Structures are given as structure tokens and as C-alpha cells.
């Protein structure tokens, strides 16, 4: 009798799981996720829970990301990064998450009067993702511009272009 129950229940369970999987795409977070939760799920593994990356392979965001809001070039760079541009979330959710990164994690690095990203702006910028092959070299140029034009501190250069680690 137990074997008959398992044989009947197994196809029913498989059908229920399959039906639910169609309704809940795994790549799209629930609409109720906070910008911080979105950051933690999409970026925190590499950039760190609090914005400090563990290994120096990716830039720290803590007290530094806000400098990228200083002008249109640096602002566009941040929104056109491949992991931002190609993320499978709405422009509104991405704008909210990027504002969390720039203003909350970025702290005092966000220039006074810096404007927040909007969903419309994020949509326009994400349609033009960075496709260059040497992202690190381009980031070096953008950081140099932020230092020269936006009065970002010189130490941003080493934070966003750490010396190669000996492994």
C-alpha cells in the first residue's frame, strides 16, 4: 500500500513543482526585495556585504562608489558595467540598488547635490553596455578622470586598481 501511495504521489509532486517553476523564474527576484537585499544577492558575494571586497580583485565600494556620481562620464561608467547592464532585474530595481551602492555604501564619497539614478536613465545607460575587452584599463582611465575633474582623492587610484596580488 505504501508503495502504491509513493507511485501515485511522485508524478503529482513532479507536476506541481513543474507548474510552479513556470510561474516563478529563478533569475528574477521578488518585487518586494529591498535595494540592500538586491545588492547582497547580486553583488555582495564579490564586493562584500558592507562594500569591502575580500580579495582585492574587485573594487571596494564602501566610502568610494559615490565618487562615480560626480559627472556624466563616471556616472555612465558605473551603470554600463556588464554586471549592471545585463542583470535580469527591472530598470527601477537597478536604479534603486545603484542608489543604495552610491549613497549608502558610498557614504561621504557621494558629492553634495549628486542626483540619484532614475529608472529611465538606468534604462538608457543599460542599453549601451561596456563591451571593451580590457575593463581594468578603462576603469583606470575613468578613475583618473574622477580624480582630475571631480576632486576624488588620489587614493581612489589604488583602491580601484590594486597592485596584482602574488598568487
Amino acid at each position: 500500500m505504501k508503495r502504491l501511495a509513493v507511485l501515485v504521489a511522485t508524478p503529482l509532486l513532479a507536476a506541481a513543482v513543474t507548474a510552479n517553476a513556470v510561474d516563478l523564474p529563478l533569475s528574477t527576484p521578488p518585487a518586494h526585495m529591498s535595494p540592500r537585499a538586491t545588492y547582497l544577492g547580486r553583488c555582495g558575494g564579490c564586493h562584500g556585504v558592507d562594500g569591502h571586497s575580500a580579495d582585492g580583485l574587485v573594487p571596494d565600494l564602501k566610502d568610494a562608489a559615490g565618487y562615480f556620481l560626480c559627472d556624466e562620464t563616471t556616472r555612465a561608467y558605473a551603470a554600463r558595467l556588464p554586471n549592471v547592464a545585463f542583470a535580469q532585474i527591472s530598470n527601477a530595481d537597478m536604479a534603486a540598488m545603484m542608489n543604495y551602492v552610491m549613497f549608502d555604501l558610498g557614504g561621504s564619497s557621494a558629492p553634495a547635490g549628486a542626483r540619484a539614478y532614475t529608472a529611465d536613465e538606468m534604462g538608457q545607460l543599460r542599453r549601451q553596455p561596456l563591451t571593451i575587452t580590457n575593463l581594468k584599463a578603462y576603469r583606470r582611465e575613468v578613475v583618473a578622470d574622477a580624480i582630475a575633474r571631480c576632486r576624488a582623492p588620489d587614493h581612489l587610484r589604488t583602491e580601484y586598481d590594486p597592485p596584482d596580488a602574488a598568487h
Side-chain angles (χ1 to χ4, degrees):
M1 189 62 134
K2 286 182 185 179
R3 184 179 170 140
L4 179 59
V6 169
L7 290 174
V8 171
T10 301
L12 293 175
L13 179 59
V17 168
T18 302
N20 284 336
V22 170
D23 293 337
L24 299 173
L26 296 177
S27 64
T28 305
H32 65 279
M33 285 183 68
S34 71
R36 182 176 189 274
T38 303
Y39 165 81
L40 291 173
R42 295 190 169 275
C43 311
C46 293
H47 287 285
V49 171
D50 63 354
H52 290 293
S53 64
D55 58 15
L57 294 177
V58 296
D60 279 353
L61 301 174
K62 185 72 173 169
D63 297 325
Y67 290 117
F68 291 92
L69 293 176
C70 71
D71 72 12
E72 295 307 312
T73 302
T74 55
R75 170 185 195 86
Y77 160 81
R80 294 176 59 216
L81 288 165
N83 287 346
V84 174
F86 296 125
Q88 296 296 307
I89 63 174
S90 72
N91 292 325
D93 288 342
M94 182 56 77
M97 187 197 77
M98 289 294 285
N99 291 329
Y100 168 76
V101 168
M102 298 299 179
F103 293 102
D104 292 316
L105 292 180
S108 63
S109 68
R115 60 187 168 82
Y117 286 105
T118 65
D120 288 341
E121 177 188 23
M122 193 57 62
Q124 290 174 329
L125 293 170
R126 291 173 78 192
R127 281 192 291 275
Q128 305 164 31
L130 294 174
T131 56
I132 56 178
T133 56
N134 193 339
L135 187 58
K136 189 173 181 179
Y138 182 64
R139 180 173 64 218
R140 197 175 299 126
E141 291 174 27
V142 171
V143 167
D145 284 348
I147 292 168
R149 292 191 310 219
C150 306
R151 299 184 184 173
D154 196 54
H155 70 78
L156 192 66
R157 198 178 318 272
T158 56
E159 288 179 26
Y160 273 76
D161 190 15
D164 291 330
H167 289 273

